[in-house]
Amino acid sequence: QVQLVESGGGLGQAGGSLRLSCVASGSIFSVNAMGWYRQTPGKQRELVATITSTHTTNYADSAKGRFTISRDNAKNTVYLQMNRLKPEDAAVYSCYASVWPTSGGIMDVWGKGTLVTVSS
């Protein structure tokens, strides 16, 4: 069993910062790509940023220049530093990981999400 647990969401101010964290735990052999997605009511979930195990990153245009994704492979943890927040960044942010469990095979795992609200 592998699970992802996010933390760090909450209320941020426009122009301010928030940092999200996500820890993968369970019977893990290795964690491949990790990432953050977000969703607002009535809209599809959208990519925010991803990072490979070798730290190659990819960002949505909306995140470029403001958000930074990073990871600590030893801790199976991925972070999202969000700076210069905008009201339109408000969403439920979900963590994603492509995991190789000890039982074999590759599985996609999602966290339950953490709510980010931004006051203007």
Side-chain angles (χ1 to χ4, degrees), residues 19-40:
R19 190 189 193 213
L20 307 183
S21 301
C22 172
V23 181
S25 64
S27 302
I28 298 171
F29 177 74
S30 68
V31 181
N32 304 314
M34 302 184 81
W36 291 94
Y37 290 72
R38 68 186 184 187
Q39 188 171 21
T40 54

Side-chain angles (χ1 to χ4, degrees), residues 12-79:
Q13 288 189 329
S17 299
L18 284 175
R19 190 189 193 213
L20 307 183
S21 301
C22 172
V23 181
S25 64
S27 302
I28 298 171
F29 177 74
S30 68
V31 181
N32 304 314
M34 302 184 81
W36 291 94
Y37 290 72
R38 68 186 184 187
Q39 188 171 21
T40 54
K43 293 187 177 181
Q44 286 190 327
R45 183 166 55 194
E46 64 176 8
L47 167 74
V48 178
T50 60
I51 185 168
T52 68
S53 58
T54 55
H55 302 274
T56 298
T57 59
N58 178 55
Y59 294 93
D61 287 343
S62 59
K64 288 179 181 176
R66 300 188 300 123
F67 295 0
T68 302
I69 189 169
S70 61
R71 65 188 284 173
D72 184 332
N73 288 338
K75 297 180 179 179
N76 288 335
T77 300
V78 63
Y79 306 96

